[in-house]
Amino acid sequence: MNFLTVMKRELKSYFTSLIAYVIIAIFLVIAGYFFYTNLVMFVMFVGTDVKLGLWQHTFYDMRFVTLSLLPLLTMRLFAEEKKLGTIELLYTSPIRDMEIIMGKYLACLVVYVLMLLLTLLYPVLLEVVFSVEMGPVIAGYTGLFLLGAACIACGIFLSSLTENQIVAAISTIGVLLFMWLIDWNEGIAGERSVIILHQLSLSEHFFNFIKGVIDIDDIVYYLSFIFLFLYLTRCSLESRKWRGEK
Amino acid sequence: MPAIDVQNLTKFYGPARGIIDISFSVEQGEIMGFLGPNGSGKTTTMRMLTCFFPPTSGTARICGYDIHEDPIEVRRRIGYLPESVPLYRDMPVFSYLHFFAEVKGISRSKRKVKVDEAMERCGLTDVSHRLIGKLSKGFRQRVGIAQALLNDPEILILDEPTVGLDPKQIIDIRSLIKELGKTQTVILSTHILPEVSMTCDRVIIIHEGRLVAVDTPANLMKRLQQTPQVVIRAEGPQGEMQRALEKVEGVVSVELRMRHSGADCFQVAMQEDAPAVNGLARAICDGGWRLHEIRPADMSLEEIFIQLVTEEQGVTGA
């Protein structure tokens, strides 16, 4: 259960260094703003068909905050320890590389889930005045959760490659943006390659969730994305065993 | 069974040398010093003993556990202070030690006792609630050592534990290490010669990745003060040449080292105040034999010592 020890320390560190508070606060402010403006817009122009469209727009806006804020949460995970040298202590403690990775990954995921849970306030508030259909809300949150979990996996990998946190954050944003936009210019792609691009795209798999559909295909996609990057992280940590540098 | 048994340990960083073919063993309860100039391979050796990374070839057994086969078991039995003394600066001393106690698998019920014990041994009890980042260098060093002590390791590995401290702190840390050496096997690395003679039972000298000598500090000093040695390589009848060399003024002893490429190689010990080596050369030439080479014997040990001695400045009173 060593990963729990690492996870607890990471969480403590997030909350004593204020990083978590700042990021959660920004997330809530922006998500709240999106929810409010979307709600007002739907009430003014669309009328009673609030149920589906409202959530589609809100979740679609929130994924943008997820994509751009999570790299700031993951950037320190390994980069900071490498810079401080504390990673050497972990490497020489009776703990496996995978336990270190899982501890850090889960700590970050916990902060993200906390962010999402706090936004549950919006549907709850709405429920008070207007009956909310829960299906699309659940699907949307599932999508946001999986998207965030994938972003964190990608971020933890890139953080393990460098001791510079800024480099880790920027490269994570780069990879995530690219994976999000990979099928935008589908017009120029052939019929077969469009299918492949859609399959690879972070956004394509996300759209189903915000439409209110939980499809096993999309879940498998995100889980594979997560496993791939966690595996790469492990390879990156193990590279100390054969790399030429000191 | 020795506490540490190292066999033919070799590490290359790509094409760059780490260490080459190092073998030694450390008995239980010994304080072993690793001595060598910066970049000689001390940290590399320690990192392999702590299973930070595996050697390119060769192996080591720590308390009977192989570093290749049971890295986790090895790590359970060691306490390690890396050279840079890595610390989470945003944590108080107490939480930092608590975290590593947990990582090292100390059960919940014993954790507080172990942390308190380690803090007391290292004189940290008064600062236990201060943030590590706000502590002085000497105290941070102690936190690092306390971390290494948490699991009552059978073996303590300390990489340059006194580097960057002021003379008073150095004295404190050295006496702490001596204290620890009473109950544990300690390996400590340093590039400071007097530190070794003051704290260690035995010394390993590493230079450019190779093991130069393993001995007690006293014996090493003796070897250091030995008479000058000269190596002569010459071609001719072996016995006659040796006798001729022995007769030269100022020669203490002549030892046949080896034959190679047709010539015999002798090592000649000279008196301290012996005249120049002309006599040796003349003895060979007068005998009508062919002189191939004449040079001072391998000086590496002395050279290293000189390098080490000159690096120690300002703490000679310690």
Side-chain angles (χ1 to χ4, degrees), chain B residues 222-233:
Chain B
K222 235 184 264 166
R223 278 166 74 171
L224 184 62
Q225 285 146 7
Q226 244 174 18
T227 52
Q229 306 261 327
V230 179
V231 171
I232 289 191
R233 205 149 57 81

Side-chain angles (χ1 to χ4, degrees), chain A residues 45-177:
Chain A
F45 302 112
V46 188
T48 51
D49 186 21
V50 184
K51 292 173 193 165
L52 201 61
L54 171 66
W55 294 117
Q56 239 181 70
H57 275 75
T58 306
F59 286 127
Y60 191 63
D61 293 338
M62 272 165 75
R63 60 81 210 183
F64 178 74
V65 196
T66 297
L67 279 176
S68 47
L69 282 186
L70 283 186
L72 304 177
L73 210 53
T74 58
M75 67 179 185
R76 54 174 286 280
L77 287 173
F78 279 102
E80 191 182 34
E81 298 234 27
K82 287 177 113 177
K83 186 126 202 164
L84 287 175
T86 43
I87 197 74
E88 189 169 352
L89 287 179
L90 290 181
Y91 284 161
T92 54
S93 296
I95 175 171
R96 283 163 221 289
D97 287 359
M98 210 53 213
E99 292 172 322
I100 304 176
I101 298 171
M102 285 321 288
K104 287 174 178 289
Y105 180 73
L106 291 175
C108 208
L109 201 58
V110 166
V111 176
Y112 179 60
V113 167
L114 187 66
M115 279 163 33
L116 289 184
L117 285 180
L118 289 170
T119 63
L120 277 179
L121 188 65
Y122 314 145
V124 170
L125 274 181
L126 191 58
E127 175 74 32
V128 176
V129 292
F130 189 91
S131 167
V132 177
E133 201 185 320
M134 286 320 283
V137 176
I138 292 169
Y141 273 108
T142 312
L144 271 181
F145 170 77
L146 286 171
L147 176 70
C151 294
I152 294 169
C154 173
I156 202 170
F157 167 62
L158 289 161
S159 177
S160 77
L161 293 180
T162 170
E163 36 179 83
N164 186 322
Q165 298 193 32
I166 307 294
V167 170
I170 293 173
S171 51
T172 309
I173 292 175
V175 170
L176 292 177
L177 265 184

Side-chain angles (χ1 to χ4, degrees), chain B residues 48-305:
Chain B
M48 285 185 284
L49 295 183
T50 53
C51 305
F52 177 83
F53 48 40
T56 313
S57 69
T59 188
R61 295 180 83 78
I62 310 256
C63 305
Y65 290 96
D66 191 281
I67 56 168
H68 292 288
E69 286 155 25
D70 299 301
I72 296 283
E73 288 302 317
V74 169
R75 291 176 196 170
R76 258 188 240 289
R77 283 162 182 78
I78 53 163
Y80 177 42
L81 173 70
E83 187 178 3
S84 57
V85 195
L87 301 162
Y88 296 113
R89 294 177 178 223
D90 57 348
M91 285 175 108
V93 175
F94 180 81
S95 326
Y96 175 82
L97 294 176
H98 230 261
F99 168 65
F100 276 103
E102 212 174 324
V103 169
K104 287 170 190 234
I106 297 169
S107 67
R108 182 180 291 269
S109 54
K110 286 192 194 148
R111 233 173 271 155
K112 192 179 167 340
V113 181
K114 290 286 172 201
V115 169
D116 286 345
E117 234 175 64
M119 286 200 299
E120 200 176 319
R121 280 176 94 174
C122 299
L124 289 166
T125 315
D126 292 340
V127 295
S128 68
H129 290 287
R130 303 252 315 262
L131 280 185
I132 292 173
K134 307 258 183 217
L135 293 178
S136 70
K137 183 93 172 71
F139 271 112
R140 279 189 222 155
Q141 203 86 10
R142 284 155 185 266
V143 177
I145 297 178
Q147 171 274 127
L149 288 176
L150 282 170
N151 50 339
D152 291 322
E154 289 164 56
I155 292 163
L156 259 179
I157 299 183
L158 310 173
D159 197 354
E160 307 244 357
T162 59
V163 86
L165 300 181
D166 68 38
K168 162 136 192 352
Q169 293 168 332
I170 291 184
I171 297 171
D172 288 353
I173 296 286
R174 281 181 189 165
S175 60
L176 175 63
I177 291 170
K178 273 198 143 167
E179 186 66 34
L180 296 172
K182 287 176 186 161
T183 48
Q184 268 125 338
T185 308
V186 181
I187 290 193
L188 73 101
S189 78
T190 176
H191 57 274
I192 301 168
L193 181 59
E195 182 155 292
V196 165
S197 44
M198 253 174 285
T199 44
C200 304
D201 302 321
R202 276 202 306 154
V203 186
I204 291 173
I205 299 181
I206 303 180
H207 186 56
E208 290 181 349
R210 287 175 197 278
L211 193 141
V212 180
V214 188
D215 217 329
T216 62
N219 283 349
L220 283 173
M221 291 313 282
K222 235 184 264 166
R223 278 166 74 171
L224 184 62
Q225 285 146 7
Q226 244 174 18
T227 52
Q229 306 261 327
V230 179
V231 171
I232 289 191
R233 205 149 57 81
E235 207 176 315
Q238 199 187 83
E240 276 178 55
M241 286 198 296
Q242 186 160 358
R243 276 191 293 281
L245 289 172
E246 274 164 356
K247 279 183 209 144
V248 177
E249 191 196 345
V251 169
V252 179
S253 68
V254 179
E255 226 177 292
L256 180 68
R257 286 273 291 280
M258 62 180 105
R259 271 187 81 85
H260 68 84
S261 55
D264 292 306
C265 193
F266 299 98
Q267 179 149 358
V268 182
M270 309 280 287
Q271 279 168 10
E272 198 103 31
D273 52 353
V277 294
N278 297 17
L280 297 172
R282 200 173 298 126
I284 299 291
C285 297
D286 287 353
W289 307 307
R290 295 173 64 185
L291 180 61
H292 283 225
E293 185 187 3
I294 181 163
R295 62 176 168 87
D298 194 2
M299 295 289 285
S300 56
L301 187 60
E302 283 89 323
E303 278 166 9
I304 295 160
F305 264 91

